[in-house]
Amino acid sequence: MQVQQTVRHPFVITVFGSSILRVEPDVASLHFSVSRLEKLPKDAFRQARESAKKEQAYLAQAKLDDYGSSRILLEQTFRYVKGENQFMGYTAKIDFHLLMRDLSRVEEILIGITDAGVNNIKEVNYQTSQLKALRGEARK
């Protein structure tokens, strides 16, 4: 017994849509860190902690409280010179993440944190706090 299959609806329609909404950012996200290179790990830890305390004092003085910091990290640091790696010491690093709602102060804060001892600004990212609502609007 042979069974034949028949396609009743041989055509398929696929629909795709996209939408773009452009909005002004209302939040700035800053990622930065303090790191200190020393010959001994205990000295690198001490220097990094002191720098982190200065950062926290500056952020408190600037009346910014929506920030967090990582635990301290330690890594060996080498420099490649004339075909070989030379041991430089130990680098201790503490990362910070700061959210700012007053975008007019971003430049002031970047200057302030570098003056307080930040030696690595990883990212300044402007975002909107209304992302969920705006995505729903774009789907409509």
Side-chain angles (χ1 to χ4, degrees), residues 8-9 17-18 22 40 49 52-53 61 63 74 87 92 99 104 109 123 126 136-137 139:
R8 294 180 189 245
H9 304 288
S18 68
R22 302 215 186 270
L40 298 173
R49 279 194 201 98
K53 286 180 184 175
Q61 173 264 324
K63 297 183 179 25
L74 184 72
F87 178 71
L99 287 177
S104 66
I109 299 305
E123 179 181 38
Y126 294 94
E137 183 181 327
R139 282 189 194 101

Side-chain angles (χ1 to χ4, degrees), residues 25-26 28 100-109 126:
D26 61 351
M100 295 181 59
R101 306 218 185 293
D102 184 358
L103 300 184
S104 66
R105 295 185 66 202
V106 171
E107 185 177 331
E108 165 203 341
I109 299 305
Y126 294 94

Side-chain angles (χ1 to χ4, degrees), residues 47-107:
Q47 291 290 332
R49 279 194 201 98
E50 287 174 9
S51 296
K53 286 180 184 175
K54 288 178 184 176
E55 291 305 320
Q56 292 168 336
Y58 170 74
L59 294 172
Q61 173 264 324
K63 297 183 179 25
L64 298 169
D65 58 359
D66 198 358
Y67 72 91
S69 62
S70 71
R71 295 192 180 269
I72 195 165
L73 303 172
L74 184 72
E75 62 184 25
Q76 293 179 333
T77 302
F78 295 87
R79 184 175 6 172
Y80 190 75
V81 178
K82 296 182 183 177
E84 54 184 69
N85 283 325
Q86 293 180 348
F87 178 71
M88 301 302 297
Y90 295 91
T91 301
K93 181 172 87 168
I94 300 173
D95 293 320
F96 287 84
H97 180 220
L98 169 67
L99 287 177
M100 295 181 59
R101 306 218 185 293
D102 184 358
L103 300 184
S104 66
R105 295 185 66 202
V106 171
E107 185 177 331

